[in-house]
Amino acid sequence: MKDFLKLNQGEVGIECRFATYVKPPEAGLPDLHLVKEQVHKADGTVVPVVKPVYNYERPYWIVKKGYRNFEQPKEWIEKERVNEFHSTQGDLLFKAASSLGKPYFKKSIKDLAAESPYLFGIDIKSTAVIKNDYMVKYPDLKTEYSVGVFDTETDVIHGTEEIIMATFSFGKICFTAVQKSFFKGVANPEQEVLEKTNKYLEQYITARGIKPVLVIVDSEIDVLIETFKVIHEAKPDFLSIWNMKFDIGKILEACDRANFPVEHLMCDPSVPNEYRSFKFILGPNQKKTASGLVMPIKPAAQWHTVKCPASFYVIDAMCAYKHTRMGEQEKKSYSLDFILGEELNLSKLKFEEADEYAGLAWHVFMQTYYKVEYAVYNIFDCIGVELLDEKTKDLQLVISTQSRASEYTIYNSQPRRLVDDFYFFCRDRGYILGSCSNEMVHELDAYVVGMIGHIVTLPSHQTVDNGVRAIKELPDVRTYIRRHVADLD
């Protein structure tokens, strides 16, 4: 049994929430998978744990020499026709190439698959294999994911656009850090914010057992450092941000201004410095159809990803809300205010004194004259997203259930998730999936006649009489209705 799956004394099972791969920082060092676990104790408690797994070896397969009698790539192959090998993710290219007699191959693993149809099972990510290991070992553990929420507010008065405050809420935890300069002119900001929070958010504080905490810090970067200290200690499974393109962008700008490495802010403190990394990948904002038409992708339909080894997976709650409802009618808006109204009959926190203002003017007015109330507004932005997910279960249940072993980075691609599922389905039944190359075009494809501009019609008297019997009064009569669905991406 793999060592990282073993139970310690007093433990009855382990769930893997996700695994993050970190390549070796330099030659000779091991590669790392940081696994976020929920450890189930014998006393019924569940404890979040971050576990480093070094040099995990994932499988791949090479066709046995006696069966290398084909030139075209296969979709799958019987297990008895291949030899199973294992490699760390970092060494996969070298070992796979060596297994094929090409030890000096220097291109990519996809290039290797393009040159040899005898390489199987390399498309599955090592992170998915690890998560599946846990799911197989502890199949009955399926609890809801924990969701924390993060939100920032930025300066709109002095033109700096600096982060002036940030809040993290997570059940009973509600932590807010604010720059000292923002509260200039407020005699006792800690006391006043607490009083106003109790005034405007009393029902939520009482019902949820919230204990609000406010700290005043010297600088923008301190706002982030203090907030993420609390986040790392709390270890939510998801760190949810509504429209994270804005907030992550502001975090990156703040770290750049302070010359503070963002990876030291975002990565789990237990990760050695040399393994810390951070990458923010914006989802595409347009797509090209098969006919060549370029279409924009609306912000809520994009899928941004953050890659960093941490105890939480950063996810855009707005995009998650949209993607879990892709088959539904488009909403008029995907602003937090509108969605709270649609789902909970709530709105973002508003104040009578600012009723005549909207948009940017509202923020200018509040930051100028109602600083304390503005901090409470920031707090409820986080609590509101928590309330929303507790109702919809998008992050607590839906995305994790639909993703199964797949990385959340590909949640927006159902075909890619299905390939992961199919990999394990086939493997458990004695088959191994083939490998996709970087070139999926065959030379004979050039002779295929395209369908663009074609309209195909068939004379009704030449169609097969296999329509659906759909008329109740005439049970033997076949209609021209067929049960057939086609899809082309």
Side-chain angles (χ1 to χ4, degrees):
M1 185 175 74
K2 300 178 175 68
D3 288 341
F4 61 87
L5 295 174
K6 292 180 180 178
L7 298 175
N8 296 317
Q9 186 174 1
E11 298 175 353
V12 296
I14 312 172
E15 287 181 273
C16 171
R17 294 314 202 197
F18 55 86
T20 304
Y21 173 68
V22 185
K23 65 181 181 180
E26 60 181 77
L29 291 180
D31 62 1
L32 167 68
H33 286 85
L34 193 72
V35 183
K36 170 61 181 294
E37 297 179 338
Q38 291 287 357
V39 178
H40 293 249
K41 303 282 190 176
D43 60 5
T45 58
V46 182
V47 181
V49 172
V50 177
K51 179 181 291 182
V53 177
Y54 288 98
N55 279 342
Y56 174 79
E57 294 195 339
R58 46 82 46 78
Y60 67 96
W61 290 262
I62 302 292
V63 178
K64 295 176 181 178
K65 290 185 178 180
Y67 295 105
R68 296 184 186 182
N69 54 2
F70 55 92
E71 296 181 0
Q72 296 299 317
K74 289 180 175 288
E75 293 179 348
W76 60 73
I77 195 169
E78 299 87 345
K79 270 189 177 180
E80 60 265 21
R81 294 174 180 263
V82 292
N83 289 317
E84 182 174 344
F85 298 87
H86 293 84
S87 171
T88 62
Q89 190 65 31
D91 286 339
L92 180 60
L93 175 60
F94 171 73
K95 287 198 172 182
S98 297
S99 300
L100 288 166
K102 301 180 179 183
Y104 301 106
F105 191 86
K106 299 297 183 182
K107 299 179 183 178
S108 70
I109 194 72
K110 294 290 187 182
D111 289 312
L112 183 62
E115 292 193 13
S116 173
Y118 307 129
L119 177 60
F120 283 74
I122 57 97
D123 290 332
I124 192 75
K125 291 183 179 292
S126 55
T127 52
V129 180
I130 285 178
K131 188 173 181 180
N132 188 72
D133 288 340
Y134 282 86
M135 293 167 66
V136 171
K137 181 64 180 177
Y138 306 104
D140 298 327
L141 296 182
K142 298 176 182 178
T143 59
E144 293 183 350
Y145 279 45
S146 60
V147 182
V149 183
F150 174 80
D151 184 51
T152 63
E153 301 297 341
T154 59
D155 168 61
V156 296
I157 297 176
H158 306 99
T160 67
E161 297 187 4
E162 281 193 3
I163 295 173
I164 53 176
M165 66 181 68
T167 293
F168 168 65
S169 68
F170 182 43
K172 296 181 180 180
I173 298 172
C174 184
F175 179 89
T176 304
V178 185
Q179 275 202 62
K180 183 189 298 183
S181 58
F182 176 73
F183 279 137
K184 185 178 181 180
V186 180
N188 191 344
E190 292 95 334
Q191 183 63 30
E192 290 193 38
V193 170
L194 180 60
E195 290 175 356
K196 292 294 175 69
T197 302
N198 286 321
K199 173 184 176 181
Y200 291 107
L201 306 179
E202 180 182 8
Q203 67 181 101
Y204 306 109
I205 290 174
T206 302
R208 303 171 71 80
I210 296 173
K211 297 180 180 179
V213 175
L214 176 77
V215 299
I216 310 298
V217 298
D218 293 327
S219 66
E220 175 187 37
I221 195 64
D222 289 331
V223 168
L224 296 173
I225 290 173
E226 294 304 316
T227 305
F228 272 91
K229 281 181 182 178
V230 178
I231 296 172
H232 288 307
E233 184 177 350
K235 294 182 174 62
D237 296 326
F238 282 118
L239 182 61
S240 171
I241 305 174
W242 196 272
N243 188 19
M244 78 175 186
K245 180 179 179 180
F246 174 83
D247 296 85
I248 297 297
K250 293 302 178 184
I251 289 174
L252 290 170
E253 291 173 8
C255 289
D256 186 57
R257 281 191 287 266
N259 196 26
F260 188 91
V262 65
E263 58 269 22
H264 293 328
L265 177 74
M266 301 290 291
C267 294
D268 191 81
S270 67
V271 176
N273 286 348
E274 62 269 26
Y275 283 91
R276 295 184 183 183
S277 62
F278 179 90
K279 191 174 184 179
F280 180 43
I281 305 170
L282 288 172
N285 57 14
Q286 62 181 26
K287 63 179 178 180
K288 189 174 183 180
T289 66
S291 62
L293 179 65
V294 177
M295 301 176 62
I297 300 176
K298 295 181 179 180
Q302 298 169 21
W303 191 257
H304 314 304
T305 57
V306 167
K307 291 188 176 182
C308 72
S311 63
F312 48 81
Y313 182 84
V314 183
I315 194 165
D316 193 319
M318 177 181 71
C319 298
Y321 182 87
K322 168 64 177 175
H323 277 275
T324 54
R325 293 163 181 78
M326 288 302 284
E328 298 182 8
Q329 184 177 354
E330 186 87 7
K331 301 288 186 183
K332 293 180 181 178
S333 170
Y334 286 91
S335 70
L336 179 57
D337 197 39
F338 183 84
I339 298 301
L340 287 177
E342 285 274 297
E343 296 286 350
L344 301 173
N345 197 28
L346 292 174
S347 70
K348 299 181 74 169
L349 202 58
K350 295 180 173 63
F351 306 92
E352 292 182 6
E353 296 85 350
D355 280 348
E356 61 183 283
Y357 298 95
L360 181 61
W362 185 91
H363 288 271
V364 172
F365 178 79
M366 293 298 296
Q367 288 186 19
T368 303
Y369 301 106
Y370 290 91
K371 299 174 183 289
V372 173
E373 287 82 356
Y374 194 71
V376 182
Y377 162 83
N378 177 237
I379 291 170
F380 186 68
D381 270 7
C382 291
I383 296 175
V385 176
E386 282 192 89
L387 294 169
L388 175 65
D389 197 71
E390 287 163 11
K391 192 245 182 179
T392 64
K393 303 290 185 181
D394 289 343
L395 302 181
Q396 293 182 21
L397 194 60
V398 177
I399 285 181
S400 58
T401 301
Q402 293 179 348
S403 294
R404 291 184 56 77
S406 298
E407 285 189 350
Y408 304 121
T409 57
I410 63 168
Y411 177 76
N412 61 320
S413 175
Q414 187 178 22
R416 292 168 67 189
R417 287 189 280 119
L418 288 174
V419 168
D420 285 354
D421 288 344
F422 197 45
Y423 168 90
F424 295 114
F425 178 87
C426 291
R427 191 189 66 176
D428 295 342
R429 288 159 178 79
Y431 296 88
I432 303 300
L433 281 190
S435 301
C436 290
S437 74
N438 60 353
E439 181 55 70
M440 299 301 294
V441 179
H442 188 271
E443 59 183 9
L444 296 180
D445 291 346
Y447 299 100
V448 176
V449 179
M451 298 301 295
I452 297 176
H454 288 198
I455 299 176
V456 180
T457 59
L458 295 174
S460 58
H461 67 278
Q462 290 184 356
T463 59
V464 177
D465 189 20
N466 61 355
V468 177
R469 295 185 177 95
I471 303 174
K472 182 178 181 181
E473 292 78 10
L474 301 171
D476 295 327
V477 175
R478 289 186 178 273
T479 68
Y480 284 99
I481 300 173
R482 267 76 176 179
R483 293 190 185 97
H484 178 78
V485 178
D487 176 48
L488 176 65
D489 292 325

